[in-house]
């Protein structure tokens, strides 16, 4: 593995998914476009500053971006160091592009600090990837984990893709915990004002627990390892999902809002859903498919 690495197609799909998420997060609400009032590259002339939580999030957010960029560019025809250089360059071009586009939106701000912190996160992620690449592509790394613990063929790939989309949906701050949107928007049904606290509590608890159980059933269907390993993966996924949820609230709102998702309904749904999920992962595959 010294000079080159085998390709990892899954990383390309994940990178595209992450790029779509970052594009939406950077350009929302996607309206009010106008020419930049101070010029296209005026942000590059701004002084650097430390923005607290936002600065930290910019670095943390681009670490997986740089990591996946290197994995996506790795191939037998390209050395891992070439993938490292191209990955960092691609992340920086993307970051600058997003910041420039933000200058066209009156409700968004862009700065040189954002570019620098994004680049710092990309470099950290890319360095981690280039160092771990030989191991990741070995039987003891990602390739081996995929072969040992996920069912072969399209079912395993589709399940992993669905899990990826589920994780992205957790970042949306206007949905209930583990929810995936508001079906009323699809049918043009207006939200009724002033629902009672009890009704909201019940709905949030049911949605949160039911969605978590559905995730557990999906994990059961694509998992090929032992049951104890599956339960460990489920608990790890739940913890990771709560970290993603917290980051989503902090990214879309402010650092003080990072834990606003912690409500009585969400906590109740989390506890009940976790207990049920730990039980349903013991179901036979056919029963899990029917349940899902």
């Amino acid at each position: 593995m010294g000079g080159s690495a085998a390709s990892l197609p899954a990383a390309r799909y994940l990178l595209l998914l992450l790029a779509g998420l970052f594009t939406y997060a950077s350009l929302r609400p996607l309206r009010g476009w106008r020419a930049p009032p101070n010029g296209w590259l005026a942000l590059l002339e701004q002084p650097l500053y430390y923005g607290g939580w936002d600065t930290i999030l910019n670095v943390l957010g681009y670490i997986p971006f740089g990591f996946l960029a290197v994995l996506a560019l790795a191939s037998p025809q390209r050395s891992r160091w070439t993938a490292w250089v191209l990955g960092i360059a691609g992340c920086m071009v993307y970051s600058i592009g997003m910041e420039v586009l933000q200058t066209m939106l009156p409700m968004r701000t862009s700065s040189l600090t954002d570019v620098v912190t994004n680049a710092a996160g990309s470099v950290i992620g890319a360095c981690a990837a280039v160092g771990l690449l030989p191991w990741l592509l070995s039987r003891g790394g990602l390739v081996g984990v995929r072969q040992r613990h996920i069912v072969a063929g399209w079912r395993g790939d589709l399940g992993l893709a669905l899990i990826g989309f589920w994780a992205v949906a957790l970042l949306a701050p206007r949905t209930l915990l583990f929810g995936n949107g508001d079906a009323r928007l699809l049918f043009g049904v207006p939200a009724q004002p002033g629902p009672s606290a009890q009704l909201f509590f019940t709905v949030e608890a049911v949605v949160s627990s039911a969605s978590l159980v559905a995730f557990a059933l999906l994990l059961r269907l694509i998992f090929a390892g032992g049951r104890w390993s599956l339960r460990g993966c489920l608990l790890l996924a739940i913890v990771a999902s709560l970290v993603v949820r917290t980051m989503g609230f902090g990214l879309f709102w402010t650092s003080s809002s990072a834990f606003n998702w912690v409500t009585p309904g969400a906590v109740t749904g989390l506890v009940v859903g976790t207990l049920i999920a730990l039980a349903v992962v013991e179901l036979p595959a056919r029963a899990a498919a029917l349940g899902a």
Side-chain angles (χ1 to χ4, degrees):
M1 275 299 180
S4 63
S7 60
L8 192 65
R12 300 167 192 166
Y13 304 130
L14 290 173
L15 182 63
L16 289 174
L17 181 66
L18 194 62
L21 168 67
F22 280 13
T23 300
Y24 173 75
S26 299
L27 302 181
R28 69 180 184 92
L30 303 174
R31 61 177 182 267
W33 298 92
R34 82 282 196 261
N38 299 318
W40 290 97
L41 298 179
L43 65 95
L44 299 179
E45 301 174 359
Q46 298 177 7
L48 296 176
Y49 64 91
Y50 175 68
W53 176 251
D54 291 337
T55 299
I56 295 173
L57 280 177
N58 282 342
V59 175
L60 294 178
Y62 268 75
I63 289 177
F65 205 68
F67 189 88
L68 288 173
V70 173
L71 294 187
L73 289 166
S75 72
Q77 294 77 33
R78 184 182 297 120
S79 73
R80 54 176 172 162
W81 294 109
T82 301
W84 179 74
V85 172
L86 293 176
I88 292 176
C91 289
M92 292 185 67
V93 169
Y94 174 83
S95 173
I96 293 173
M98 287 298 101
E99 294 299 323
V100 170
L101 288 176
Q102 280 185 335
T103 62
M104 301 175 65
L105 292 168
M107 298 179 65
R108 302 307 302 264
T109 59
S110 58
S111 67
L112 180 60
T113 299
D114 290 343
V115 174
V116 172
T117 52
N118 292 345
S122 300
V123 171
I124 294 173
C127 289
V130 79
L132 294 173
L133 194 58
W135 174 78
L136 290 173
L137 298 178
S138 68
R139 290 189 59 83
L142 285 179
V143 172
V145 170
R146 171 69 174 86
Q147 293 174 346
R148 291 191 302 272
H149 299 295
I150 304 298
V151 297
W154 66 268
R155 193 174 75 178
D157 294 333
L158 178 60
L160 289 173
L162 290 174
I163 288 176
F165 280 105
W166 181 78
V168 170
L170 293 171
L171 289 163
R174 288 190 172 90
T175 60
L176 303 179
L177 179 63
F178 301 130
N180 298 115
D182 191 338
R184 294 173 296 186
L185 300 178
L186 297 176
F187 302 100
V189 178
Q192 298 300 319
S196 66
Q198 182 60 42
L199 175 61
F200 187 83
F201 169 85
T202 303
V203 169
E204 186 170 30
V206 170
V207 168
S208 301
S209 59
S211 299
L212 186 54
V213 171
F215 170 78
L217 291 170
L218 172 62
L219 195 62
R220 167 67 183 91
L221 290 173
I222 68 171
F223 198 79
R227 297 293 170 82
W228 286 109
S229 297
L230 176 54
R231 283 185 166 181
C233 288
L234 174 62
L235 291 175
L236 182 62
I238 293 174
V239 172
S241 70
L242 298 180
V243 173
V244 171
R245 185 68 170 173
T246 302
M247 290 185 62
F249 269 68
L251 279 169
F252 280 89
W253 304 118
T254 62
S255 57
S256 60
S257 304
F259 291 95
N260 279 5
W261 62 267
V262 182
T263 63
V267 173
T268 301
L270 174 63
V271 173
V272 174
T274 299
L275 294 175
I276 299 176
L278 289 172
V280 299
V281 292
E282 292 285 350
L283 292 174
R286 185 178 297 275
L290 291 174

